[in-house]
């Protein structure tokens, strides 16, 4: 294992690469992400699994790209005929992309903020559909411009509140579960790109000031009671990103050693800052609107 990151760093999780990165010269029992290696059926099946994963990822990307192109074509057309349909189309795109992300990553307390994009899309669709219905039924309820702004402000406030409340709750729960501390080695990382201005300990790509950064999900190898565990943090971050081969102290659950947690202060501080900003903007907009 060396510090060259290209071989053991990839944009899409690759089980074969992860297995090559594991250091197990004495053939000790191995548990990967909570599953014993023998139950993974690794021998002779890695190529098939990688092929299936690659095909599934390609299909997802193709669907998203086709939907995005369709929206780009439809929005200018609807803007000329019925602007509300333009908003419906944009909302449907956000809803679709958000649901694809939720289907791929799942829903948990740690990733609850991933609901923001599909919820925004759903709200845009509902508002536009209600207003389109109002045009043919003048006596029905509809969203005025003032009501739309109020809905947006309430939404920003809820998102901000979630950013303030959820990270401390998750941190407290994980600290109670993962009480043992051990030194682990980063052996593999997968990543994706994100529009972000946070660069503390992270990796920023693209032109200076572009705000495009890589978010990494490190995989850690450590040994507990003679068994080698390989576990991921479960979340992507650009705070204190380790290089391949770097050592860090992580916490694990004594009842389930494959469950790990690495407290990152920068992540929690960033969530608090964004939460305060969202709530502040929402309150300020409502105050100005109702003066």
């Amino acid at each position: 294992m060396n510090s060259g990151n290209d071989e053991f760093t990839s944009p899409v999780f690759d089980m074969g690469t992860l297995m090559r990165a594991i250091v197990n010269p004495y053939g000790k029992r191995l548990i990967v992400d909570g599953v014993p290696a023998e139950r993974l059926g690794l021998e002779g099946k890695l190529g098939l699994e990688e092929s299936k994963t690659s095909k599934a990822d390609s299909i997802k990307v193709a669907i998203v790209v086709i939907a995005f192109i369709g929206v780009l074509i439809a929005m200018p057309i609807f803007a000329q005929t019925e602007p509300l349909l333009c908003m419906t189309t944009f909302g449907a795109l956000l809803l679709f992309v958000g649901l694809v992300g939720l289907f791929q990553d799942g829903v948990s307390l740690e990733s609850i903020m991933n609901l923001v994009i599909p919820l925004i899309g759903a709200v845009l669709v509902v508002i536009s559909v209600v207003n389109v219905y109002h045009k043919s039924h003048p006596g029905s309820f509809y969203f005025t411009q003032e009501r739309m702004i109020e809905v947006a402000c309430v939404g920003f406030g809820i998102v901000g509140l979630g950013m303030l409340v959820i990270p401390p709750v998750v941190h407290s729960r994980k600290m109670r579960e993962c009480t043992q501390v051990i030194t682990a080695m980063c052996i593999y990382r997968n990543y994706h790109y994100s529009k972000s201005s946070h660069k503390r300990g992270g990796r920023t790509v693209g032109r200076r000031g572009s705000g495009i950064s890589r978010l990494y999900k490190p995989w850690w190898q450590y040994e507990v009671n003679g068994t080698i565990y390989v576990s991921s943090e479960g979340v992507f971050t650009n705070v204190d990103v380790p290089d391949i081969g770097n050592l860090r102290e992580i916490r694990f659950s004594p009842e389930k050693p494959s469950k790990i947690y690495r407290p990152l202060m920068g992540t929690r501080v960033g969530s608090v800052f964004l939460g305060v900003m969202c709530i502040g903007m929402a309150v300020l907009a409502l105050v100005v609107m109702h003066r």
Side-chain angles (χ1 to χ4, degrees), residues 66-96:
I66 292 172
F68 185 73
I69 293 175
V71 168
L72 289 180
I73 296 174
M75 286 182 66
I77 298 174
F78 290 147
Q80 299 295 324
T81 58
E82 178 52 77
L84 287 174
L85 290 179
C86 181
M87 186 168 72
T88 304
T89 305
F90 180 67
L93 175 64
L94 293 181
L95 180 61
F96 173 76

Side-chain angles (χ1 to χ4, degrees), residues 67-272:
F68 185 73
I69 293 175
V71 168
L72 289 180
I73 296 174
M75 286 182 66
I77 298 174
F78 290 147
Q80 299 295 324
T81 58
E82 178 52 77
L84 287 174
L85 290 179
C86 181
M87 186 168 72
T88 304
T89 305
F90 180 67
L93 175 64
L94 293 181
L95 180 61
F96 173 76
V97 171
L99 291 178
V100 168
L102 290 176
F103 177 77
Q104 181 175 4
D105 300 331
V107 180
S108 64
L109 187 61
E110 293 88 341
S111 62
I112 196 69
M113 297 312 296
N114 292 343
L115 289 170
V116 171
I117 291 179
L119 284 177
I120 291 174
V123 169
L124 290 176
V125 170
V126 170
I127 289 176
S128 55
V129 168
V130 168
N131 283 9
V132 168
Y133 180 80
H134 171 75
K135 286 191 172 184
S136 59
H137 300 76
S140 62
F141 172 83
Y142 71 101
F143 288 92
T144 63
Q145 184 176 2
E146 182 175 325
R147 284 174 178 164
M148 291 183 189
I149 295 175
E150 289 176 344
V151 169
C153 289
V154 171
F156 265 95
I158 293 174
V159 170
L161 185 62
M163 289 182 174
L164 288 177
V165 173
I166 292 175
V169 171
V170 171
H171 173 71
S172 177
R173 190 192 71 183
K174 285 185 173 291
M175 291 294 284
R176 290 195 306 269
E177 292 178 346
C178 303
T179 56
Q180 302 296 312
V181 178
I182 194 170
T183 299
M185 180 172 62
C186 176
I187 62 169
Y188 178 70
R189 306 177 306 179
N190 53 304
Y191 66 86
H192 65 72
Y193 292 103
S194 175
K195 187 78 172 177
S196 172
S197 59
H198 300 288
K199 303 180 184 180
R200 296 186 302 273
R203 309 292 194 271
T204 303
V205 297
R207 294 175 297 179
R208 183 179 298 274
S210 66
I212 302 296
S213 63
R214 276 186 182 182
L215 300 182
Y216 291 83
K217 181 167 71 171
W219 287 73
W220 300 95
Q221 176 176 327
Y222 51 101
E223 185 174 336
V224 179
N225 297 328
T227 298
I228 293 178
Y229 289 86
V230 176
S231 303
S232 71
E233 295 185 18
V235 294
F236 288 88
T237 181
N238 64 352
V239 178
D240 190 23
V241 177
D243 288 327
I244 301 300
N246 282 176
L247 302 178
R248 293 286 193 280
E249 282 193 346
I250 65 172
R251 303 174 71 93
F252 70 92
S253 168
E255 289 79 20
K256 188 177 181 182
S258 59
K259 181 178 292 186
I260 65 172
Y261 178 53
R262 187 165 65 107
L264 296 173
M265 178 61 70
T267 301
R268 300 198 300 277
V269 171
S271 296
V272 170

